[in-house]
């Protein structure tokens, strides 16, 4: 038996597996999922083959049906070693998160988008009492959070409206933005300035600021944030002091493992 793998001919590769990866790759670049016909055209597969691959991804939990379109779920990140329970990238990033938490003396988090939500992928918690209890795997509405907004800011405007219409924000506090046009305008500001500030929109007294973590293709695939008690830290201080520190840490995480485009 050979100790290693050496592929000398194409006959030793698995063609169907290669096609399945091709489907996942083109879907990863789609802002709002793809139809069966779009997958077939983008991959060169027949519609019947594209349908089988999509049904398989849905059955395994790596994709979900949204109307006539199919979107990849956050579970697909596990294939690259990025798991919500402490997978390769986030395990490697943990020292950087802990360093940032110690530097700022605040809790820091990383989250990825899953549909209309963000899902917490990693956290480094400061020794402070926060009214919101968040752990790896916790979900929050993407449009109402700083981490969600730095990810959504990379989407096209029509896709942003689709996300808002698919999960309309609730008026949780007097500061919560609920008007779609106002939210889209805020996402444009986030894209231009490179950070998002959520000031007591989820809960009175809770303020957070986030920057994007980008893949090799430049798209934001995660957000890195700091959450504080609003009575302790001003918005101006968060922008002037926290944002540069967040950006330094985001760049270190990006350097660890770039997700494929």
């Amino acid at each position: 038996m050979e100790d290693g793998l050496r592929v000398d001919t194409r006959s030793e590769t698995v063609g169907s597996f290669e096609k399945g990866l091709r489907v996942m790759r083109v879907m990863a670049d789609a802002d709002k999922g793809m139809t069966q016909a779009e997958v077939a055209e983008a991959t060169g597969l027949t519609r019947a083959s594209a349908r089988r691959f999509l049904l398989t991804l849905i059955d395994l939990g790596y994709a979900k049906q949204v109307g006539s379109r199919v979107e990849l779920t956050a579970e697909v990140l596990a294939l690259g070693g990025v798991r919500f329970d402490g997978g390769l990238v986030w395990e490697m990033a943990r020292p950087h998160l802990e360093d940032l938490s110690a530097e700022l003396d605040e809790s820091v988090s990383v989250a990825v988008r899953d549909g209309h939500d963000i899902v917490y992928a990693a956290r480094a918690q400061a020794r402070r009492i926060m009214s919101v209890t968040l752990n790896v795997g916790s979900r929050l509405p993407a449009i109402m959070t700083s981490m969600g907004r730095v990810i959504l800011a990379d989407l096209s405007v029509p896709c942003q409206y689709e996300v808002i219409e698919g999960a309309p924000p609730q008026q949780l506090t007097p500061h919560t933005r609920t008007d779609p046009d106002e939210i889209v305008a805020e996402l444009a500001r986030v894209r231009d300035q490179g950070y998002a500030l959520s000031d007591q929109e989820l809960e009175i007294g809770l303020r957070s600021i986030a920057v994007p973590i980008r893949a090799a293709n430049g798209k934001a695939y995660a957000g890195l944030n700091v959450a504080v008690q609003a009575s302790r830290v001003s918005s101006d201080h968060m922008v002037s002091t926290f944002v540069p520190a967040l950006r330094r840490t985001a760049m270190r995480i990006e350097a660890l493992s770039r997700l494929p485009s």
Side-chain angles (χ1 to χ4, degrees):
M1 180 180 294
E2 294 184 3
D3 293 330
L5 290 176
R6 182 183 303 164
V7 178
D8 295 321
T9 67
R10 291 289 294 174
S11 64
E12 294 184 81
T13 63
V14 181
S16 59
F17 183 64
E18 179 185 358
K19 292 174 183 177
L21 291 176
R22 197 189 316 161
V23 169
M24 296 176 72
R25 183 178 292 275
V26 299
M27 292 182 68
D29 284 332
D31 286 339
K32 55 180 180 179
M34 301 178 74
T35 65
Q36 173 184 317
E38 288 171 342
V39 170
E41 181 178 357
T43 59
L45 299 172
T46 66
R47 290 198 180 191
S49 293
R51 179 176 183 275
R52 288 196 297 271
F53 283 114
L54 292 175
L55 289 176
T56 300
L57 290 173
I58 292 170
D59 184 61
L60 294 175
Y62 294 126
K64 62 182 178 181
Q65 183 99 29
V66 181
S68 63
R69 312 184 78 80
V70 177
E71 297 179 353
L72 294 179
T73 69
E75 287 300 313
V76 79
L77 294 178
L79 299 178
V82 187
R83 300 191 309 272
F84 296 149
D85 59 352
L88 179 61
V89 170
W90 305 132
E91 195 63 37
M92 293 167 62
R94 190 176 303 279
H96 296 304
L97 298 180
E98 291 173 350
D99 287 347
L100 178 62
S101 179
E103 176 186 350
L104 301 178
D105 194 22
E106 303 289 354
S107 296
V108 300
S109 305
V110 170
V112 296
R113 179 185 168 214
D114 185 17
H116 300 117
D117 296 334
I118 56 166
V119 183
Y120 279 70
R123 270 176 68 73
Q125 191 134 358
R127 295 182 179 179
R128 296 185 184 277
I129 303 299
M130 296 293 289
S131 57
V132 175
T133 301
L134 295 168
N135 299 300
V136 170
S138 294
R139 288 176 173 269
L140 289 174
I143 203 67
M144 299 173 67
T145 62
S146 59
M147 287 188 287
R149 287 176 182 168
V150 294
I151 300 172
L152 295 174
D154 269 11
L155 300 182
S156 66
V157 170
C159 289
Q160 292 172 354
Y161 276 109
E162 285 190 14
V163 172
I164 297 168
E165 292 164 2
Q170 301 176 7
Q171 189 78 52
L172 299 180
T173 79
H175 306 285
T176 306
R177 293 182 175 91
T178 58
D179 179 76
D181 293 336
E182 182 182 349
I183 293 172
V184 169
E186 173 63 15
L187 292 177
R189 284 190 290 271
V190 168
R191 183 174 60 253
D192 291 340
Q193 66 196 14
Y195 67 85
L197 176 69
S198 178
D199 193 355
Q200 305 183 78
E201 294 191 52
L202 279 174
E203 179 182 316
I204 291 295
L206 181 65
R207 182 176 287 150
S208 71
I209 197 162
V211 301
I213 298 175
R214 299 190 181 278
N217 62 1
K219 290 177 61 176
Y221 72 90
L224 170 66
N225 92 336
V226 176
V228 302
Q229 294 170 340
S231 59
R232 289 192 301 101
V233 186
S234 70
S235 298
D236 289 343
H237 181 76
M238 294 181 80
V239 172
S240 64
T241 302
F242 288 6
V243 167
L246 284 165
R247 283 175 173 158
R248 288 194 297 270
T249 301
M251 290 177 65
R252 290 170 185 143
I253 295 173
E254 290 169 354
L256 289 174
S257 179
R258 292 273 190 179
L259 292 184
S261 62

